[in-house]
Amino acid sequence: MHGEIALLKNIFAVALRWGVVGKNPLRDVHLLREPPPRVRYLAPAEIERLIFAAPRHLAPIIKIAVCTGMRLGEILGLKWSDVAPDRTSMRLLRTKTGDARVVYLSTSAREVIEERRAIRDGPHVFHFRGKKIGSINTAWRKTLRLAGIEDFRF
């Protein structure tokens, strides 16, 4: 609701500037405070159950997320050209904010990258049967159910 009201206020403000309307009927409407974003972290035992329950193509994605804090889109879009030759860091050019950044890899994350390198098949680090993974929704929901984890999203 907050976003819709803010959008309408801006539409009327622009319409007022353009002379389309005589006044902004929402000018005096004050936006309510948005609730704080939901935060849910997995306990170490939940992480273990999640990785154990995951199919072979999803487990390394989960491991990299846990080790680096990367977003799903960043992980799925990761190409071998983004991985440093010594595999100690990755350069993320396609981020949610649009800002490029570098992620330094822990020993555990480097091990995952090495495992992926052994089955390298195309430009993407994470793939399924040689093709870029577009979505993990079905596998993710099934993995959460098998691991007995509720109220968690990637």
Side-chain angles (χ1 to χ4, degrees), residues 19-95:
V20 177
V21 295
K23 71 176 212 159
N24 183 345
L26 299 177
R27 189 187 75 178
D28 295 327
V29 173
H30 298 287
L31 299 177
L32 300 173
R33 273 191 174 205
E34 288 192 75
R38 186 178 76 126
V39 177
R40 162 85 158 93
Y41 297 106
L42 292 177
E46 290 177 310
I47 294 170
E48 287 180 28
R49 290 197 324 261
L50 191 64
I51 292 170
F52 181 76
R56 284 192 330 199
H57 72 284
L58 184 56
I61 293 171
I62 295 169
K63 289 177 186 176
I64 283 293
V66 169
C67 291
T68 65
M70 291 170 60
R71 293 182 173 103
L72 179 61
E74 295 169 342
I75 295 170
L76 296 182
L78 192 62
K79 294 183 177 181
W80 286 109
S81 58
D82 300 328
V83 179
D86 62 0
R87 284 171 283 297
T88 57
S89 65
M90 296 183 292
R91 183 184 62 229
L92 304 179
L93 302 174
R94 297 162 294 280
T95 64

Side-chain angles (χ1 to χ4, degrees), residues 80 116-117 119-125 127 129-131:
W80 286 109
R116 300 303 302 167
R117 188 169 170 255
I119 57 170
R120 187 175 180 169
D121 187 12
H124 288 92
V125 176
H127 53 82
R129 297 183 180 147
K131 295 183 180 172

